[in-house]
Amino acid sequence: MKSHLALAVAGALSLMACDSKAQANDKELRLGVANYLDKKGELCLDLTEWPLSISPANMEMKNAAPDTIVAKMETLTALGLTAEAPGGDDPKDTRPFKPDVVVKRYVLTDAGKKLYREKEVTVKDYRSKTSKQVKEGDLCYAQKKLDKVIAWTKPIKTGEWLWVHVTYSYKVGPVAAWARNPTLSAAFPDIAENLRLAGTEQKVYLKLGKQGWDEYDIGFD
């Protein structure tokens, strides 16, 4: 009798736990936004392909703006984070969209490799509705963390998903010293912009999954 009662109580507690995760309240949405920022809130330079190839078109655009790819690479090279490598055809480069002609390449130096962060990311093909895991890396300088959840919309049911639009603000963890170098400001204006936006209102869609609220990725829904 006691064992049946214990099972019934355990089952009820399990259902209550699931129900609590389904609630669009401050606690559960804070967990959802914090999880989203932990996964996708790393602040990086958005340079994910190494060696990085420079095409003739890139060279022509060199003086068009202070943040062209050539200017970015020259800045990183001046800081000792990248170095020039010979151009020409590279048989090891099997990327489908690589330049037909490569004027020069840039590689990470030992100092640059210490800043390089590589992780597995999911790449989705929306036509075939398939996905695959690939390794992608970048030079990263800080991490967004949840500051506070400000507001959220009434949860809406779309198909099998329950989703909500959350307004929040983030704070930035320790910023790497190299990213504060003033010579980077013109070449990488996003650094200053990402730091400026800390504490301001941001928005994210969350959907309800088995583990609670998490980023709403349209995926193949």
Side-chain angles (χ1 to χ4, degrees), residues 2 71 80 95 145 161 164 173 207:
K2 288 184 178 180
R95 288 175 296 154
K145 293 291 185 181
W161 300 112
V164 65
K207 74 175 179 182

Side-chain angles (χ1 to χ4, degrees), residues 48-163:
T48 59
E49 294 186 350
W50 299 95
L52 192 147
S53 301
I54 299 297
S55 68
N58 294 147
M59 294 301 295
E60 290 177 7
M61 293 293 292
K62 175 181 176 180
N63 298 319
D67 60 345
T68 61
I69 189 61
V70 177
K72 291 177 186 292
M73 290 301 100
E74 290 179 345
T75 299
L76 292 177
T77 298
L79 293 175
L81 302 179
T82 60
E84 284 190 33
D89 185 53
D90 181 0
K92 295 180 181 179
D93 190 346
T94 58
R95 288 175 296 154
F97 303 110
K98 67 177 182 179
D100 292 331
V101 179
V102 176
V103 179
K104 66 175 72 173
R105 288 184 177 84
Y106 285 90
V107 297
L108 293 171
T109 62
D110 289 341
K113 290 176 182 177
K114 292 179 180 179
L115 309 175
Y116 185 72
R117 301 289 180 266
E118 190 173 66
K119 59 185 176 182
E120 280 198 346
V121 297
T122 302
V123 176
K124 296 183 177 181
D125 185 327
Y126 292 94
R127 290 186 177 181
S128 64
K129 291 191 174 183
T130 59
S131 60
K132 62 180 179 179
Q133 295 294 113
V134 300
K135 285 188 175 182
E136 185 177 278
D138 207 337
L139 298 175
C140 301
Y141 55 90
Q143 175 75 43
K144 293 179 184 178
K145 293 291 185 181
L146 176 64
D147 177 27
K148 60 184 175 181
V149 167
I150 300 168
W152 58 89
T153 60
K154 181 179 179 180
I156 296 176
K157 181 86 173 191
T158 302
E160 62 179 299
W161 300 112
L162 189 67
W163 61 271

